[in-house]
Amino acid sequence: DVKVRLSHRSPLLAFCDAIMASVGAVGCKPAGELSTECVECALNENRLDLLSHWISQDRLMLSRQIGDLISRHCGCKVPCKCGCQALAQNVYTKLHLHHQAIICLLKQGRVHAGIEYAKHKSPFTKEMYVEVLRMCPSLQLMHALVAADDQGSRPLPVGVVILTVLENNSFDLVLPFIQELQNRTADDDPNTSLFHDAVLDDMETSTDEWDSLVKILQDQGYEETATNVLSTITVMSAMKTVLYKSLADDRPDSAATQG
């Protein structure tokens, strides 16, 4: 998938390069349409090195379209190895298109950097996190999306992460994800798994959705994982029932009714 530099360049690319070389002398970048055409020409000839030089030397009139062209030129699976996503990220960052820059970071496999960028530069909604999970699913991203911060909040509920990835039947991601969470202990309780903690915090995934997940795992022959998930959600359901009953009993109107 890595783009190969051609040993020659076409007359059109030579013309584009001449335009770029003249920018420093005339002090004027080519207009948006011409800049875009030059980028397309460089991409068509797989000259990312030349394109990178133009961008770093500020020779182009950058636009969202140019960033999109570069990003779409990438044919890699996550993580990107051809350099297109890093180059597109550079364009988006210069244009303050933070959402697109974050997606490029994630496509490079730079999950931690992407999540931190999202927190500080362009806060994501849950819908946005689901979108990027669909676009560039990876085990690292799945773990990052269910990791609790200092306040105990998580970008996405664990059930949403699992069910989103399963939309494409990506059991190669879901199984190790669940198993790794089950095998890791919570920081505040060595007797509790991270999976148990994440499930307990998940207020969005319904019991029916958890049951459907268990059935999917069983149907695919993953009995042990299905049993472990079922055990966790059974405990979770019981704990939530007790908690809700306790909260209801503590309400003033409940006490008044009993009185």
Side-chain angles (χ1 to χ4, degrees):
D1 288 331
V2 177
K3 305 301 179 185
V4 179
R5 173 177 171 171
L6 300 180
S7 59
H8 65 280
R9 62 180 181 176
S10 68
L12 179 57
L13 183 59
F15 171 71
C16 291
D17 198 21
I19 292 175
M20 296 301 135
S22 70
V23 170
V26 301
C28 181
K29 300 176 188 176
E33 185 175 353
L34 182 54
S35 285
T36 301
E37 289 175 354
C38 288
V39 169
E40 287 181 318
C41 180
L43 290 174
N44 288 338
E45 299 192 26
N46 292 327
R47 289 300 303 271
L48 293 181
D49 58 323
L50 197 56
L51 183 52
S52 178
H53 176 71
W54 295 345
I55 293 173
S56 65
Q57 296 298 311
D58 197 24
R59 303 291 172 87
L60 292 162
M61 187 70 72
L62 297 178
S63 65
R64 164 76 181 268
Q65 184 180 5
I66 285 177
D68 292 347
L69 283 170
I70 298 171
S71 180
R72 286 198 297 265
H73 190 69
C74 174
C76 307
K77 294 182 179 179
V78 177
C80 167
K81 297 182 183 300
C82 68
C84 285
Q85 297 303 332
L87 203 54
Q89 177 204 334
N90 190 6
V91 172
Y92 291 136
T93 301
K94 288 176 182 290
L95 296 171
H96 303 288
L97 295 171
H98 300 304
H99 180 76
Q100 289 74 21
I102 291 164
I103 292 174
C104 288
L105 280 167
L106 297 177
K107 287 183 176 180
Q108 293 170 66
R110 299 176 60 192
V111 172
H112 179 72
I115 297 295
E116 287 301 308
Y117 194 136
K119 288 178 181 177
H120 300 294
K121 287 285 189 179
S122 179
F124 269 31
T125 63
K126 288 184 177 180
E127 291 74 17
M128 289 176 178
Y129 280 122
V130 169
E131 176 194 347
V132 298
L133 182 58
R134 286 190 177 116
M135 290 177 63
C136 38
S138 70
L139 194 56
Q140 188 182 6
L141 178 58
M142 293 169 74
H143 279 296
L145 291 178
V146 301
D149 61 18
D150 294 339
Q151 286 73 45
S153 63
R154 308 170 193 267
L156 283 179
V158 65
V160 172
V161 169
I162 293 171
L163 294 172
T164 298
V165 175
L166 277 181
E167 289 173 358
N168 291 321
N169 294 321
S170 298
F171 290 98
D172 58 322
L173 293 176
V174 168
L175 286 175
F177 173 67
I178 294 175
Q179 291 164 357
E180 287 174 14
L181 287 179
Q182 288 174 335
N183 292 332
R184 295 179 188 174
T185 57
D187 292 336
D188 56 349
D189 185 355
N191 296 316
T192 301
S193 72
L194 287 180
F195 185 70
H196 178 91
D197 259 10
V199 170
L200 192 60
D201 285 346
D202 186 346
M203 299 298 177
E204 293 189 24
T205 307
S206 68
T207 302
D208 287 344
E209 287 174 321
W210 283 119
D211 288 342
S212 71
L213 172 61
V214 171
K215 187 176 187 309
I216 290 171
L217 292 172
Q218 289 172 332
D219 290 345
Q220 294 295 320
Y222 305 118
E223 287 290 343
E224 183 177 354
T225 303
T227 300
N228 289 336
V229 172
L230 180 59
S231 173
T232 299
I233 62 176
T234 300
V235 172
M236 173 203 69
S237 180
M239 290 178 66
K240 286 184 177 179
T241 299
V242 172
L243 177 61
Y244 294 153
K245 185 178 185 303
S246 175
L247 291 173
D249 290 344
D250 289 342
R251 283 166 47 191
D253 57 337
S254 174
T257 302
Q258 292 176 2

